[in-house]
Amino acid sequence: MGSIPELKPLELYIGTDEEQNAVVYPLDQLPHLLVCGMNGCGRSSFLRTQTALLAHGTSAEQLRLVLMDETGVEFVQFRKLPHLLMPSACEPWQKAGAMFALCTELQRRYSLLAECGVRALADYNRQAEKPLPRIVAIVDGVEDLLAQEECADQIQQICQKGRSVGIHLIAAARKAPQEKIVAEFSSRIAFRMATKNAAHQIGIPGAELLLNPGTALFSPVTDANPVRVQTKELTDEEIEALIALVATGPQYDEEFLEKAIRAVSGDECSDEPDPMYEQALQCVIKEGYASTSL
């Protein structure tokens, strides 16, 4: 791991450019990132690396994470991080609940800022008794969410309004999403794309020509032209070493988890709680995952 530079809290290490310079971006400057690429080209490895580096370099008081993937195993190494707001979500209904909870939190934060007469999270935190952490939702396989109209609208809402209140989205897809979704992500990184047309759809022409795994074209909001980078793929052992000292056990946010569970149970607007709800909530917290059978 010696090739990884020293990072400040809330910084992303994208990789190295063609001059072997480290490409590092503060999260707030991106502030949302779309990651596209075919299977086997480094897309999921990139997400795991960013998750490990963020958790390693930033305390749970400063950063909370919401992890979503398709298989249920991509983020399994991070299940003991205190940064997690809720267990990792892999089923479409779990992701839908997480997105609802994120958008509810987004609106809550805007209300808090309005009450304090400020416009940005940093200004709020300077005067708050209890500063708010930044929240990063990392989604591997965003196609499940985009297939649900309500979730697609929520992604757009977070991309449009999340930066000011410290809610960020890093979303990965195998194929180019719809143009209206791509347009919401001011920063993008493309590994090898299947076709020339797909590369153009995400605004990164030439991505279809990338051959080596881990090689990508990075297009941040601050640069007009994409930068060719070699991303860093951490092994499972390297990830374990990075997070060993910080993986002290989950500290889920019960209020956030409650909103996510109520959303998928259709009970988010009810004033009468299900008599089994509290038992179900504690079961999810204890087991570290949610499923229909559980």
Side-chain angles (χ1 to χ4, degrees):
M1 291 185 291
S3 60
I4 296 177
E6 287 293 326
L7 300 174
K8 298 176 182 178
L10 299 168
E11 281 189 335
L12 296 178
Y13 172 52
I14 305 300
T16 54
D17 63 19
E18 292 182 292
E19 285 74 41
Q20 299 303 305
N21 298 313
V23 180
V24 176
Y25 267 79
L27 180 64
D28 189 50
Q29 286 186 17
L30 285 175
H32 310 288
L33 180 64
L34 178 64
V35 184
C36 291
M38 299 168 58
N39 286 344
C41 291
R43 185 190 67 247
S44 296
S45 296
F46 177 81
L47 295 186
R48 287 195 300 273
T49 297
Q50 300 311 316
T51 304
L53 291 174
L54 281 171
H56 171 77
T58 311
S59 70
E61 287 72 34
Q62 295 174 285
L63 169 72
R64 301 309 295 268
L65 296 170
V66 177
L67 304 180
M68 310 181 215
D69 80 289
E70 295 175 300
T71 63
V73 299
E74 290 295 343
F75 297 126
V76 69
Q77 286 180 281
F78 306 114
R79 64 189 182 279
K80 294 184 179 180
L81 287 177
H83 303 71
L84 298 180
L85 281 173
M86 61 178 286
S88 179
C90 58
E91 298 293 339
W93 63 268
Q94 294 170 337
K95 296 179 184 179
M99 291 302 301
F100 175 84
L102 281 167
C103 286
T104 302
E105 175 64 13
L106 180 135
Q107 297 302 331
R108 183 183 81 89
R109 291 187 172 204
Y110 267 101
S111 296
L112 290 174
L113 266 61
E115 289 173 8
C116 290
V118 297
R119 298 174 56 245
L121 181 70
D123 297 325
Y124 174 85
N125 282 345
R126 273 192 286 269
Q127 58 181 275
E129 290 185 15
K130 186 178 180 181
L132 295 171
R134 291 194 178 269
I135 297 174
V136 181
I138 301 178
V139 186
D140 191 12
V142 74
E143 289 88 346
D144 282 350
L145 288 173
L146 296 178
Q148 306 175 64
E149 183 176 350
E150 185 175 4
C151 290
D153 292 341
Q154 289 165 341
I155 287 174
Q156 290 181 284
Q157 184 178 354
I158 289 173
C159 287
Q160 292 169 3
K161 302 172 64 177
R163 179 179 186 174
S164 294
V165 293
I167 298 179
H168 307 273
L169 181 60
I170 301 175
R174 289 182 296 275
K175 301 177 181 179
Q178 295 178 350
E179 183 178 348
K180 66 178 183 179
I181 297 297
V182 172
E184 297 294 351
F185 287 88
S186 51
S187 298
R188 304 158 200 165
I189 184 168
F191 295 86
R192 186 182 181 186
M193 300 297 293
T195 65
K196 182 177 180 179
N197 184 54
H200 278 273
Q201 280 182 271
I202 60 170
I204 306 182
E208 76 282 3
L209 303 176
L210 299 172
L211 299 178
N212 297 326
T215 302
L217 291 173
F218 175 49
S219 180
V221 65
T222 54
D223 291 345
N225 298 312
V227 178
R228 187 183 181 97
V229 295
Q230 182 63 43
T231 61
K232 175 68 175 179
E233 179 178 354
L234 295 176
T235 65
D236 288 347
E237 292 74 20
E238 288 174 326
I239 288 176
E240 291 289 349
L242 263 180
I243 66 173
L245 294 179
V246 298
T248 55
Q251 297 177 14
Y252 304 134
D253 185 303
E254 290 195 24
E255 186 175 349
F256 187 91
L257 184 53
E258 177 182 345
K259 291 172 183 174
I261 293 176
R262 287 195 185 282
V264 296
S265 66
D267 193 39
E268 67 268 22
C269 297
S270 174
D271 292 327
E272 295 295 328
D274 189 298
M276 294 293 290
Y277 173 77
E278 185 61 31
Q279 183 178 345
L281 177 64
Q282 294 304 319
C283 185
V284 170
I285 292 173
K286 178 181 177 181
E287 297 298 329
Y289 72 98
S291 70
T292 305
S293 58
L294 179 64

